[in-house]
Every structure is written in C-alpha cells, then in structure tokens.
Amino acid sequence: MLRELKDRTGLSLAQLADATTFSKSSWQRYLNGGSLPPRSAVVELCRLAGEPADRPLALLDIARTDRTSYDTEPATTEPPVPPVPPVPPGSPVGEGTGSPPETRPPDTVPTDTTASGTAPIDPAPADTAPAHPSPSPHRRTTVLTALASLLALALALALGGLVLLHLPTAHREQARPAPTPAASITGPLCRHRSCQGKDPLTTRCGAGPQTLAEHETATGAWVQIRYNPVCGASWARMWGAALGDRVEFRAGGTDGRLHGARVTNRTEADTYVHTLMSVVDLRTSLQACFVPAAGGPKECFGAVAGVTTAGTAP
C-alpha cells in the first residue's frame, strides 16, 4: 500500500525525504517492510499522494495487531513427577498380631476370630497408584494460555477482515477518471494565485523546490528561503531550532503579507517547521527572519525570486 502511494506521488526517495519530516533511510525501511511506519508518516505520504488516510491507517493498525498477537509467553519446563510405588497384592496386613496395619486406616481392616486363635482374615489388597499421574495445574495453565493466544489471533484476523469489507472503496470502477498526462498526477496541486496562503507540502509545491538562500543563526538553527517556479510561490523553513523559536517570511517588501511558523513541540524541534506560501513573480524581493525564544536580536536575510544564492538543502 505504501509503495502504491509513493508511486502516485512520482517522487524519488530523496525528494520524498525532502518533502516530509522523515529521512531517506527511514522511507526505505518503511517501503521495504523492514519496519512499520508511524501514523504521521502515513498521513504525510497520503497528503502528497492526494489520497484519504483512513484506509492506510486502518491497514497499519491491523498489521500492528497481527504482529503483537504472535508474542506468546515461553513454555516452562516442569520437573518430572516421581511415580508412587504400588503396594503388592496379597501382602500380609497385621498377620498374627490382631492389630491394624500401619499403612491402612483402622476402619478398613475387618477381622474374624476362630475358636483356636485370633488371627485375622487377610483384607483385600491395597489399591495401586495410577500408572500415569494427572497433569499438574501449571501445565494446564500453560496449555490454556496457548489456546487463549490462538483465539486472540483468530479474533484479530476476523476483525481485520470485517474492517476491510466495510472500508469505502477509494476508486470505484464507474467513477474512474479519464487518463491524464503524468504531469497532472505528480505535479503541484496549485498554480500562482491559487497557492497564496497554502501549505507547500499538501499542495506538493514542496517537492523539489529551489533553495534561494540560507542562513545559520547565532543559536545554531538554520533558516532557508524556498521557491518553486512551477507553483510561482515562495516560503521559508527552519530546522535545528529550540522550542518557542519562530521564523517569519515576507514577499514584496514591507507591503507584502507576513507568514510565520513557531516550534511548538519536540517533534518539530527535531525536524523542521515551515511557513505558508506567498505568490511571487520573477525578481520579487523576499525576506526571512529568525526570532529566538530565548531573546536576542531578530536575524533577517533576503533573496530574489528566481535567483539562487545557495545550494540545495539537505
């Protein structure tokens, strides 16, 4: 399913890593089945592919359920139970003494006396121990645990089948669109004015953009000015920042609209944040600023749309 979504984006692994918050090696493991992807990775891939994330997320939950169902408790080895030695049949029980035997209760020794003495009549032979001792309670518990694990696995598979049956069909045969050129499937979802104020990732403008300029701040964070000539739009992104740090972006001088993004959680601090897009023309002046949360001066730098002064971002 992930490979199908990746093929729909038309992006290479390097471009996919550049357009998402996950590295190229991570996408390689997810696509090759080496490890299950996090839910956020599935959501980002669905956004780039222009597909709803409900069905892929449901399949991911089913895969995690199947994987955890195989983790069972290891069986324990029980020490052998020594057999109880049987009592030989016909053994004398208190012969010549008239007293009850030591190995039998007194109420099971009937005796008859004769006229010439008090010798008792031999009772019935004692019961022998069973040849096969009954299984121990611990062994029965282990068997019940294994049966419960198998039942849980069967239930998970049945529920997974029901989920798949009730999922909405992504593409129905009667509503299949007419074939279109590959560029319209893998290209950006907006052009020029329609890109104003939109997210570069969800519109696919973040796939393979140009880095016009970049700046390393005094705190060690990096800020870049990005530009996609097909979309006719530009934006700024920041990584290596601390919680509360903010990046601002403006196109067209002081009269241009200001977009900003702030680091609000640890995930954003470990990856990057980006602003919304501004529609630009060639030679439009662009400016990005870094505002540290710890205080200090604002650090700003500029670029011109269509003029590259920095290399491609990592």
Side-chain angles (χ1 to χ4, degrees):
M1 183 66 185
L2 292 181
R3 281 189 171 278
E4 181 181 350
L5 292 174
K6 186 258 182 188
D7 293 341
R8 289 180 185 176
T9 64
L11 304 178
S12 64
L13 287 177
Q15 292 174 331
L16 188 61
D18 189 57
T20 63
T21 58
F22 297 88
S23 63
K24 176 181 177 181
S25 58
S26 297
W27 279 117
Q28 194 167 18
R29 289 195 308 272
Y30 303 154
L31 295 174
N32 291 337
S35 62
L36 292 177
R39 294 176 66 88
S40 58
V42 176
V43 171
E44 290 191 31
L45 184 59
C46 289
R47 286 178 180 175
L48 292 177
E51 296 292 336
D54 296 341
R55 184 168 180 265
L57 288 177
L59 294 176
L60 176 62
D61 293 338
I62 293 171
R64 286 179 176 168
T65 302
D66 291 344
R67 179 166 294 188
T68 55
S69 298
Y70 287 99
D71 297 333
T72 59
E73 178 183 339
T76 57
T77 304
E78 300 180 6
V81 180
V84 179
V87 179
S91 60
V93 183
E95 182 176 353
T97 62
S99 61
E102 294 180 357
T103 58
R104 295 182 59 87
D107 57 345
T108 60
V109 187
T111 57
D112 289 332
T113 59
T114 62
S116 60
T118 60
I121 300 176
D122 291 342
D127 295 334
T128 60
H132 301 284
S134 60
S136 64
H138 187 74
R139 180 175 297 176
R140 288 196 297 269
T141 302
T142 303
V143 173
L144 291 176
T145 301
L147 291 176
S149 299
L150 293 176
L151 181 60
L153 176 59
L155 181 60
L157 294 176
L159 291 176
L162 291 175
V163 171
L164 291 177
L165 288 176
H166 290 82
L167 283 175
T169 304
H171 299 281
R172 298 187 180 275
E173 190 69 25
Q174 62 271 21
R176 179 176 298 175
T180 55
S184 63
I185 298 177
T186 60
L189 301 179
C190 68
R191 297 288 194 281
H192 300 280
R193 293 187 181 277
S194 63
C195 294
Q196 178 65 41
K198 293 186 177 179
D199 191 299
L201 293 185
T202 58
T203 57
R204 302 181 188 173
C205 292
Q210 299 176 6
T211 299
L212 301 181
E214 60 185 7
H215 170 70
E216 183 178 11
T217 69
T219 63
W222 282 86
V223 180
Q224 292 179 329
I225 297 178
R226 311 275 273 174
Y227 170 67
N228 190 318
V230 179
C231 296
S234 185
W235 65 96
R237 79 169 182 175
M238 173 179 65
W239 76 91
L243 289 174
D245 287 350
R246 177 178 172 84
V247 59
E248 296 178 349
F249 176 74
R250 190 190 302 270
T254 57
D255 295 334
R257 183 175 181 180
L258 181 67
H259 295 296
R262 185 185 302 274
V263 178
T264 60
N265 54 60
R266 179 53 55 188
T267 300
E268 293 177 347
D270 293 338
T271 54
Y272 64 85
V273 296
H274 59 271
T275 68
L276 300 178
M277 295 186 293
S278 291
V279 177
V280 297
D281 296 321
L282 289 177
R283 314 302 298 182
T284 300
S285 62
L286 312 171
Q287 184 186 61
C289 295
F290 170 74
V291 184
K298 179 187 294 188
E299 302 180 38
C300 298
F301 66 102
V304 176
V307 179
T308 303
T309 60
T312 303

